[in-house]
Amino acid sequence: MSEPVSEPSKRAQQIAVAGVIGAVAGLTLTGHRGGRRALLGGLAGAVVLGTVEAVARARQRPDEIPALWARIAMSGALAAPAGWVAGRLGARTVPVATVAGTVAGALGLRPQKVALGPVAGAAVGLAFGRTSPGDRAGTAAAAAATAVAGYRTASAVLFRDPQVSLLASQIPAASAPFVVPLASRSRYVGTGYLRDLAAVLGGEYTADVADIGIVASLDELAGPGFDPTGVDPLVREFYEHTTRFTLDIVPEWRLWVRPGYLLYQTLLARPLGQANVPMNQRAAQRGVRGRIDTIMGAPGTPGAAGAPGAPGRPPVLRCWIRSYADTDEPIYVGVYTTYRHEDRGYVSVGFPLPQASFTATLEPFARPGGGLILDSRGGTAQSGHYLTYIAPDSAELTVLAVHGFAERLAVYVADGELRAEHAFAVFGIPFLVLRYRMHRKPLK
């Protein structure tokens, strides 16, 4: 195991990286003015961005992310080389700035920010096109940097509530029971995730368990808002014996989110092998195959992942894997756990990512007629969504709370049939509902 990096050394590395980024940005902005000015531009960029990073890190308090102004400066510097490359390839200033603003807006996730991005970028591009008719590559670099920095500045003024907040850094897993601290050790998660994890953790790995549920017992979720004794037997059976059922899925996407999701699915979800929801009913008609893989008694498994002996945790690590029936291409790979806090039960679903995990912690509520609702917007601070980086050497966690994202899963019986509605929203704006019908598998 490598020696831990001291705080001064880490800060020096961060400043050095910022200096390099600033130097590259300075070169792209001034390179068309000759070698001497390009050298001066690179040096100036290194000094400015290195100084910005040094000041931001010096003022940064524990469990805080760097100041917004420093992040804006960094994002502008990162956009400049991309704009320069586009300009060298012949792209004009307005399209370059518009694309830069669009990408920055898309990263903001909030619909209003997504819409603001291309508008801000186009405005900057038009301004540069009128006032800076010189070297195309240099102008494109300046327009891209200004579009990103300008968009982020306007966004910070217009949208003041945070999208993400840092909850804690470098903490042990036991300090964050609402997080499932299990990462992917490769860039591709895929349907073999738990098998690969078992090779690292040890324990008894079993694939496609014949009769098991995503939770050991609904009684673990009892609390002020949920009495398990009132649940319809069919709903209880689904949760405690999930593999007895097949799933039919109908995705209902809002029109405004479809273009962005198509880009996300192509560039991220499929290459990652995770969170690859069907785009339309035609894709869903390929069929969905669900299975649960388990690890029994893995030594050293973090308590938040359901290790043996962990208070309130089942002794079996359960991974519900949903994939397309025809190709086994993954749709969701989620590790399901339960835990109790202040006399309430919660379900935490961890979606492994490379060196990270995205966790949805859901609070249970009774639904009229014997159904069950799991909601990320519960009445306590435990429920919510969390993005967690897991240090590979120490397994310590850095946890971000992802505000604005919400989901609500309702499982119920209607006309004798087991159904579910899984609704998602961002900043209060619905964008997706997954409608499920669950049927018992035929007896063999």
Side-chain angles (χ1 to χ4, degrees):
M1 185 177 295
S2 60
E3 293 293 328
V5 180
S6 66
E7 194 60 35
S9 297
K10 184 188 296 186
R11 183 171 297 179
Q13 292 175 3
Q14 293 164 339
I15 294 171
V17 170
V20 171
I21 294 172
V24 174
L27 286 171
T28 59
L29 292 170
T30 59
H32 63 286
R33 298 183 177 180
R36 181 182 176 84
R37 290 191 176 183
L39 178 60
L40 291 175
L43 289 174
V47 170
V48 170
L49 202 60
T51 302
V52 166
E53 184 74 11
V55 173
R57 295 293 178 180
R59 298 180 60 180
Q60 183 181 2
R61 289 179 288 185
D63 294 339
E64 274 190 348
I65 57 178
L68 176 62
W69 49 269
R71 288 181 278 132
I72 290 175
M74 179 64 74
S75 61
L78 289 170
W84 182 87
V85 171
R88 290 284 292 179
L89 293 175
R92 295 185 177 276
T93 303
V94 174
V96 169
T98 303
V99 169
T102 300
V103 172
L107 293 175
L109 298 180
R110 186 189 309 216
Q112 299 92 324
K113 289 190 173 185
V114 173
L116 177 62
V119 174
V124 169
L126 288 170
F128 269 84
R130 291 174 180 174
T131 60
S132 303
D135 177 76
R136 177 174 290 180
T139 301
T146 305
V148 171
Y151 156 77
R152 295 202 61 186
T153 301
S155 177
V157 172
L158 295 173
F159 311 111
R160 294 183 175 274
D161 50 322
Q163 293 185 138
V164 176
S165 62
L166 179 63
L167 292 184
S169 62
Q170 298 178 328
I171 62 171
S175 299
F178 47 85
V179 165
V180 181
L182 292 173
S184 172
R185 287 165 171 78
S186 65
R187 294 183 179 179
Y188 186 79
V189 181
T191 58
Y193 167 74
L194 206 70
R195 179 191 63 239
D196 298 337
L197 182 65
V200 176
L201 298 180
E204 181 183 347
Y205 167 71
T206 305
D208 198 4
V209 178
D211 189 11
I212 192 173
I214 52 178
V215 301
S217 171
L218 278 187
D219 296 334
E220 297 171 357
L221 305 183
F226 177 63
D227 180 5
T229 62
V231 172
D232 187 287
L234 195 56
V235 174
R236 177 181 282 269
E237 183 182 7
F238 172 73
Y239 275 95
E240 297 178 355
H241 302 278
T242 310
T243 54
R244 293 179 183 178
F245 296 85
T246 61
L247 287 80
D248 294 328
I249 180 174
V250 177
E252 296 181 1
W253 290 91
R254 294 294 178 96
L255 288 175
W256 64 267
V257 80
R258 289 186 180 184
Y261 179 73
L262 182 61
L263 186 65
Y264 156 83
Q265 187 181 50
T266 303
L267 299 181
L268 187 61
R270 285 175 177 163
L272 185 60
Q274 177 66 287
N276 182 23
V277 181
M279 181 66 195
N280 49 41
Q281 184 59 25
R282 185 178 65 179
Q285 286 174 349
R286 297 166 58 187
V288 177
R289 176 176 182 254
R291 77 173 201 255
I292 295 179
D293 293 358
T294 64
I295 302 177
M296 174 76 77
T301 304
R313 296 288 187 176
V316 179
L317 190 64
R318 304 158 189 260
C319 185
W320 191 16
I321 301 166
R322 281 152 288 179
S323 59
Y324 290 104
D326 55 350
T327 62
D328 203 35
E329 179 186 2
I331 299 173
Y332 276 124
V333 179
V335 178
Y336 282 70
T337 74
T338 61
Y339 76 102
R340 298 191 63 79
H341 178 77
E342 296 182 351
D343 202 32
R344 293 176 184 265
Y346 298 87
V347 175
S348 285
V349 188
F351 299 97
L353 303 170
Q355 289 303 138
S357 174
F358 183 77
T359 301
T361 293
L362 310 172
E363 186 173 343
F365 297 94
R367 186 184 190 276
L372 169 61
I373 294 173
L374 295 175
D375 202 329
S376 66
R377 291 293 181 88
T380 69
Q382 297 285 302
S383 56
H385 292 88
Y386 306 95
L387 182 61
T388 305
Y389 168 74
I390 302 149
D393 51 351
S394 64
E396 290 182 326
L397 311 181
T398 297
V399 184
L400 299 172
V402 182
H403 307 289
F405 192 78
E407 63 179 296
R408 185 178 185 269
L409 172 63
V411 180
Y412 57 95
V413 177
D415 300 326
E417 184 181 62
L418 189 60
R419 301 181 185 179
E421 293 179 0
H422 200 171
F424 300 84
V426 58
F427 291 98
I429 302 177
F431 67 89
L432 170 65
V433 177
L434 300 175
R435 302 188 188 277
Y436 292 93
R437 292 176 182 263
M438 291 85 89
H439 309 278
R440 278 200 183 89
K441 295 177 181 177
L443 297 175
K444 295 182 179 179

